[in-house]
Amino acid sequence: MNNFLFVLVISILTPSILLSQVRSIDAWESGVKLGMSNYQGDLVREHFNILESNPGIEIYLRYFYDYNLAFHGSFSFAFLTGDDRNYSQTEDPGRYDRGLRFENQVYLFNFRLDYFPLLKKKQRYINVDLPWQPYFGLGLGLNFNDPELINQNPNRIPKFTQKESPVINSQFSAGIKYYVSDLLSIAVESVWNIGYSDKLDGYVFKDTNDIYMFHGVVLSVSLEEIFRPYRRRFW
């Protein structure tokens, strides 16, 4: 809990600190992402299991360094689950007999570099000629987590939860952004988070990195438009 509070405070204060140090904010935007998280690890067999999809949320701040590159800082929450009993005894007897389930709340503080290949110098940041803008991102962060491993087979020797927090996290993202107006934009985004630990599910089996996805819709506002009335007064 202390780790979560620390990350939350930093994520709230960072935008204020950064904005206080710049004189022009025409390249800044902020927003929220709402979507579904999905775990990929030892307790699921498929790359995507709809039964273990759970809600997630992210708040972020993005600064456009130029017309193609942007710095993206974010704080996100994801609820991860996985269950051997998603598979019947006939379908996968080994998993069914193992009978493990886990639940984990993951808080991620992440820094990412985004690349917008179609933005050009003649198209200002907000007033773009092409309203649809694809982008790709590569990031690095820390996730704070607290898994709980649940034994569902009373005939087996119980497994004890193995924990590791914080965990270094790599992030790969891809999305497409639509500029609704000068103020508002909306995007559909997919993110893959690779935790450099096999303990996000509380269980070490193959000693490989656990992965979770976070797909969703991003709502963004231009800080240029919000602060435009105050620029001549204060800057």
Side-chain angles (χ1 to χ4, degrees), residues 2-131:
N2 290 335
N3 288 334
F4 164 63
L5 292 177
F6 171 76
V7 174
L8 181 60
V9 169
I10 292 297
S11 66
I12 293 173
L13 291 180
T14 298
S16 300
I17 295 172
L18 290 174
L19 286 176
S20 67
Q21 295 176 344
V22 297
R23 297 186 61 83
S24 175
I25 56 173
D26 58 349
W28 293 86
E29 72 175 24
S30 184
V32 61
K33 176 181 177 181
L34 301 173
M36 303 297 290
S37 59
N38 195 276
Y39 153 84
Q40 294 177 281
D42 299 324
L43 301 189
V44 295
R45 194 170 64 179
E46 305 89 355
H47 290 293
F48 184 86
N49 188 324
I50 190 64
L51 296 176
E52 302 301 342
S53 295
N54 300 283
I57 186 171
E58 174 188 290
I59 56 175
Y60 82 91
L61 183 69
R62 178 186 278 138
Y63 172 73
F64 279 79
Y65 175 75
D66 59 21
Y67 296 93
N68 300 114
L69 296 178
F71 300 110
H72 180 284
S74 66
F75 172 76
S76 64
F77 165 79
F79 182 61
L80 306 182
T81 59
D83 196 334
D84 282 335
R85 293 296 172 88
N86 287 328
Y87 313 96
S88 67
Q89 194 167 14
T90 303
E91 182 183 11
D92 196 327
R95 288 181 180 273
Y96 185 88
D97 183 61
R98 187 173 62 182
L100 295 176
R101 173 176 175 77
F102 90 97
E103 298 178 356
N104 195 355
Q105 298 182 19
V106 180
Y107 305 93
L108 175 64
F109 190 67
N110 190 74
F111 175 80
R112 193 175 81 201
L113 182 65
D114 289 338
Y115 176 63
F116 289 75
L118 299 184
L119 280 175
K120 301 182 184 300
K121 189 173 182 179
K122 66 178 181 179
Q123 307 166 328
R124 290 298 300 170
Y125 156 56
I126 292 296
N127 299 314
V128 293
D129 296 330
L130 299 175

Side-chain angles (χ1 to χ4, degrees), residues 178-216:
Y178 178 73
Y179 290 91
V180 180
S181 66
D182 288 350
L183 175 65
L184 180 67
S185 62
I186 186 171
V188 177
E189 181 181 87
S190 293
V191 169
W192 291 263
N193 289 296
I194 303 174
Y196 291 100
S197 170
D198 193 27
K199 299 179 181 178
L200 287 184
D201 49 21
Y203 176 67
V204 176
F205 178 56
K206 297 180 180 179
D207 198 22
T208 56
N209 298 326
D210 286 334
I211 300 173
Y212 73 94
M213 300 174 289
F214 182 25
H215 309 308

